[in-house]
Amino acid sequence: MSTPPLASGPQGPDALRPLLDTVLDALPAGGPEAVAARVADAVGDVLPDDGDPDALRTLVTAVAEGAADPADPLCAAHLHCPPLAVATAADLAASALNPSLDSWDQAPAAAALEALVTRTLAHTIGLPDAVVTTGGTESNQLALLLAREALGSGLRLVHGANAHHSLPRAAWLLGLPDPVVVPAPNGTLDPAALHAALTHLPRPLLVAATAGTTDAGLIDPLPEIAGLCAAHGARLHVDAAYGGGLAFSDRHRDKLAGLERAHSVTLDLHKLGWQPVAAGLLAVARPGELGVLHHHADYLNADDDTEAGYPDLLGRSLRTTRRPDVLKIAVTLKTLGRTGLGALVDQVCARAREFAALVREHPAFELYDRPNISTVLFRPTGATDDDVAGVRRRLLHDGRAVLGRARLDDRLWLKATLLNPHTRPDELALLLKLVEGTTPR
């Protein structure tokens, strides 16, 4: 058996070219279906004695045929974006070159690029520096870790009832006390309740606010929360995994007012940044605090190498082996610019407003509220929660549409998260028609 070709090196492009055609030919067949049996039939023996030269086409086709394709306008359940072609191409280059950002000698150019890009994105929201993460969950965990190391193990997390589940989970992972949960009666953190909590709780405290909730895309009153944190001596973290992308838009940037007053901010460019997963960041107001991440391993960051001027990368992440996710981000920023990315943000926000208008004008549906970002919550008029859940499952089972679900005001809502800037008005109308046709009479 001949040695299989590598993706990088002098022969890499010749080896990749026919395989790339295979992948691209297969992807358009994607769509949500029940595929477990089909995948098992396609795979057969996962590790056969003799390899199958057609395995790439077979398995990519099977996965694509059973995918919930985020580029399909009827696939609108989650904060799972259709990635830009230019970002996907850059991601392929990252996989082919396969640098690892745990030591400079494995990723010289990628390390330099990461330093440039993280500072630029941090400056976009008014902070001095950032580190790359795998997404919102890792960023939130890292924010709590930095706060604990800065303020001590007695740190108490205070967050709204609307906060992402990764925040209380991070407190558990770090051995912190159970968080204090502040009411969010209208889907956003209540400043009066926060003031009362901060008045009586012992220090140190970390307040976590949200800019773009996963259920309705709502943004906490950041200026008020920042003011309360300053008055009570509490540290502020903002989970802007969803809403942080609004910073690219001249039209919507003002919704993030107050973000620059946070000690740390979670960003996620595989949401409103149209990147292939993963593409997260944690921006920090005090870059020196990242020093607690420093770790010494002589084969990666020997003292004499560091003294000789070779960058020490281990202190830029909790991970060791780390792929250059910054490359696709950098290519996107450079290709589209702030104006191009802002236009995409504006487009999906406009699509959400258009869909909300269709819901509001339709007598068979109830709209939760005007969308704040690109999420629309709605439900059939007079339906029970069981009806709403059943509609979603039937659409999913039949492979016709993928909608999310959210519980607000003690009622279950269908959730459409619109992240495809190419979605057309007729496709929005079709989505609503499909829901109407699936609703029990």
Side-chain angles (χ1 to χ4, degrees):
M1 179 179 178
S2 61
T3 304
L6 300 177
S8 57
Q11 285 74 46
D14 290 338
L16 272 176
R17 195 164 290 111
L19 302 179
L20 182 60
D21 290 341
T22 296
V23 173
L24 294 180
D25 287 345
L27 286 178
E33 297 178 17
V35 298
R38 186 181 306 165
V39 170
D41 289 342
V43 173
D45 189 348
V46 174
L47 184 62
D49 291 335
D50 298 314
D52 179 359
D54 201 38
L56 177 67
R57 179 179 296 278
T58 300
L59 297 187
V60 169
T61 299
V63 169
E65 286 179 349
D69 183 1
D72 190 316
L74 302 182
C75 182
H78 301 287
L79 289 164
H80 177 201
C81 70
L84 293 164
V86 70
T88 305
D91 210 29
L92 175 62
S95 294
L97 296 169
N98 205 31
S100 179
L101 283 155
D102 52 321
S103 66
W104 187 88
D105 59 354
Q106 297 177 79
L113 183 64
E114 184 175 84
L116 291 171
V117 172
T118 50
R119 285 196 296 269
T120 297
L121 285 170
H123 293 167
T124 299
I125 60 168
L127 297 182
D129 201 4
V131 291
V132 173
T133 69
T134 54
T137 294
E138 184 186 344
S139 293
N140 286 340
Q141 290 172 353
L142 184 54
L144 263 68
L145 174 64
L146 295 180
R148 186 194 70 180
E149 294 304 294
L151 301 177
S153 59
L155 177 72
R156 192 82 180 268
L157 172 65
V158 181
H159 66 75
N162 60 340
H164 192 263
H165 63 83
S166 62
L167 283 159
R169 193 179 192 199
W172 168 71
L173 284 169
L174 293 169
L176 298 176
D178 289 341
V180 175
V181 180
V182 175
N186 297 309
T188 57
L189 192 152
D190 180 4
L194 177 62
H195 172 67
L198 296 181
T199 299
H200 298 101
L201 288 169
R203 307 303 184 260
L205 297 171
L206 171 66
V207 174
T210 306
T213 57
T214 54
D215 52 12
L218 302 177
I219 298 174
D220 287 338
L222 300 180
E224 289 182 74
I225 293 170
L228 287 170
C229 288
H232 289 278
R235 185 179 175 110
L236 174 61
H237 169 66
V238 178
D239 178 359
Y242 180 14
L246 298 176
F248 297 122
S249 166
D250 291 339
R251 184 175 302 171
H252 296 283
R253 186 181 302 126
D254 288 349
K255 294 177 181 178
L256 298 177
L259 196 64
E260 73 286 349
R261 299 173 65 183
H263 291 81
S264 56
V265 176
T266 288
L267 300 172
D268 221 349
L269 294 180
H270 54 245
K271 294 181 173 63
L272 281 184
W274 294 276
Q275 299 298 292
V277 174
L281 296 101
L282 178 72
V284 294
R286 301 170 182 171
E289 290 184 351
L290 295 171
V292 302
L293 301 180
H294 175 75
H295 181 71
H296 180 75
D298 192 69
Y299 75 105
L300 294 175
N301 59 350
D303 290 339
D304 55 317
D305 281 347
T306 303
E307 292 167 3
Y310 288 88
D312 178 357
L313 304 184
L314 280 186
R316 299 293 294 179
S317 177
L318 287 173
R319 291 170 285 149
T320 303
T321 301
R322 190 160 60 87
R323 77 189 305 272
D325 287 317
V326 72
L327 176 58
K328 62 198 176 193
I329 298 173
V331 168
T332 300
L333 298 178
K334 185 73 172 174
T335 301
L336 275 69
R338 187 191 300 271
T339 301
L341 277 166
L344 293 181
V345 172
D346 293 346
Q347 287 169 33
V348 296
C349 291
R351 294 298 85 76
R353 292 194 299 272
E354 291 167 9
F355 186 62
L358 289 176
V359 173
R360 187 172 52 247
E361 294 164 4
H362 198 301
F365 289 100
E366 177 183 356
L367 178 69
Y368 174 74
D369 202 355
R370 178 183 173 87
N372 203 39
I373 307 179
S374 66
T375 299
V376 180
L377 300 186
F378 66 106
R379 54 182 283 147
T381 303
T384 67
D385 284 358
D386 287 343
D387 290 337
V388 173
V391 165
R392 177 182 172 273
R393 283 192 293 268
R394 279 190 291 276
L395 289 169
L396 182 64
H397 180 270
D398 295 342
R400 303 178 76 188
V402 188
L403 288 170
R405 54 187 286 165
R407 183 168 291 279
L408 277 92
D409 296 342
D410 201 31
R411 290 197 294 168
L412 189 64
W413 300 82
L414 294 171
K415 178 175 69 171
T417 310
L418 302 174
L419 292 179
N420 187 344
H422 293 285
T423 299
R424 304 187 309 270
D426 62 304
E427 292 166 332
L428 296 174
L430 174 59
L431 178 58
L432 197 60
K433 186 174 181 179
L434 287 172
V435 175
E436 183 182 16
T438 314
T439 303
R441 300 299 179 190

